[in-house]
Amino acid sequence: METITACQNVCVDFWWVGPVTEWLRNIALIAGVVIGWRQLEAWRREKVAVKRAELGEELVAVASELTDKIASIRSPIGYGPPDGEEDDGTFDFRRRLREIGALDTDFEKLRHLQVRSKAFFGDANLSDAIDSFFEVRARLVVTLGGRIRMIRGQATEYGRALTDRQSDRMEQYENIIWKGQVDEDPIDCVMNPALSQIENTMIPHIRLEATR
């Protein structure tokens, strides 16, 4: 009869220890990978949230500044030409055109922010709101140019009364050029909702990051 030693007996009774240890090692490895992946995803989400908040702050700031600057350009308070400079009646309108031209850098920044916002948000309403600022600028440039041409045209027809069509056109020009000329300001009716859309979209992201 073959004798089984104590060592052999232990090996027989605990044959499962090796496989279980290997299984636990594999589980630990898989768990480590899963935890690492989740941490990486959390880090990525946090980075995206930070970038969205930074983009939101910048976009709200630029849009707000442009709104104020355009309101200032449209102020009914006018200025005459410097001493010694002749004025054919167009100086104040030409001055406002120059001031709009001086906003080119601001508008370039706004366009760049629009491109970034499409990548981070993909919000069509937000993009449309930003486009509204460019539409306002184009409308003011065209209107100021039209008013200047009208003044110079009148100078060649001195003493001749405006036609009804010319009077209507001049009224339309001035409603656009002068802020507050009419209750439903045609520029404010575009810019104010656009700014509100930008703020309503961006501020929740800014506040979320601020509370972290």
Side-chain angles (χ1 to χ4, degrees), residues 133-144:
F133 282 79
F134 291 91
E135 293 168 10
V136 163
R137 178 178 65 168
R139 192 171 183 186
L140 283 170
V141 168
V142 169
T143 301
L144 284 164

Side-chain angles (χ1 to χ4, degrees), residues 48-86:
V48 170
V50 169
K51 288 183 178 181
R52 282 181 171 178
E54 291 173 347
L55 174 58
E57 289 177 355
E58 198 171 359
L59 183 52
V60 169
V62 171
S64 297
E65 289 174 8
L66 274 173
T67 300
D68 291 340
K69 289 176 180 179
I70 289 175
S72 177
I73 290 172
R74 297 182 64 228
S75 170
I77 300 175
Y79 300 93
D83 293 339
E85 181 177 332
E86 294 186 1

Side-chain angles (χ1 to χ4, degrees), residues 99-115:
E99 291 179 357
I100 292 175
L103 299 180
D104 282 353
T105 300
D106 299 84
F107 276 100
E108 287 175 7
K109 190 172 185 180
L110 184 62
R111 186 66 82 189
H112 178 65
L113 290 171
Q114 183 184 34
V115 173

Side-chain angles (χ1 to χ4, degrees), residues 1-159:
M1 181 176 181
E2 184 179 357
T3 301
I4 300 177
T5 65
C7 180
Q8 289 174 323
N9 190 46
V10 169
C11 290
V12 169
D13 291 342
F14 294 93
W15 63 268
W16 50 268
V17 171
V20 168
T21 301
E22 184 66 23
W23 179 76
L24 289 174
R25 187 181 296 115
N26 292 336
I27 290 296
L29 178 61
I30 294 171
V33 171
V34 171
I35 292 171
W37 179 80
R38 287 183 176 178
Q39 289 176 338
L40 179 60
E41 285 300 304
W43 177 80
R44 285 176 176 172
R45 286 194 297 270
E46 184 176 349
K47 291 290 289 184
V48 170
V50 169
K51 288 183 178 181
R52 282 181 171 178
E54 291 173 347
L55 174 58
E57 289 177 355
E58 198 171 359
L59 183 52
V60 169
V62 171
S64 297
E65 289 174 8
L66 274 173
T67 300
D68 291 340
K69 289 176 180 179
I70 289 175
S72 177
I73 290 172
R74 297 182 64 228
S75 170
I77 300 175
Y79 300 93
D83 293 339
E85 181 177 332
E86 294 186 1
D87 182 18
D88 59 358
T90 65
F91 172 81
D92 194 47
F93 298 104
R94 288 185 284 113
R95 174 185 65 83
R96 294 170 196 269
L97 268 179
R98 287 195 299 270
E99 291 179 357
I100 292 175
L103 299 180
D104 282 353
T105 300
D106 299 84
F107 276 100
E108 287 175 7
K109 190 172 185 180
L110 184 62
R111 186 66 82 189
H112 178 65
L113 290 171
Q114 183 184 34
V115 173
R116 289 174 58 195
S117 72
K118 288 180 179 179
F120 278 98
F121 297 97
D123 189 324
N125 291 330
L126 176 62
S127 185
D128 289 344
I130 296 172
D131 281 336
S132 294
F133 282 79
F134 291 91
E135 293 168 10
V136 163
R137 178 178 65 168
R139 192 171 183 186
L140 283 170
V141 168
V142 169
T143 301
L144 284 164
R147 188 70 182 94
I148 291 169
R149 288 192 298 273
M150 177 174 279
I151 292 172
R152 288 173 173 168
Q154 289 171 345
T156 63
E157 301 175 358
Y158 182 76

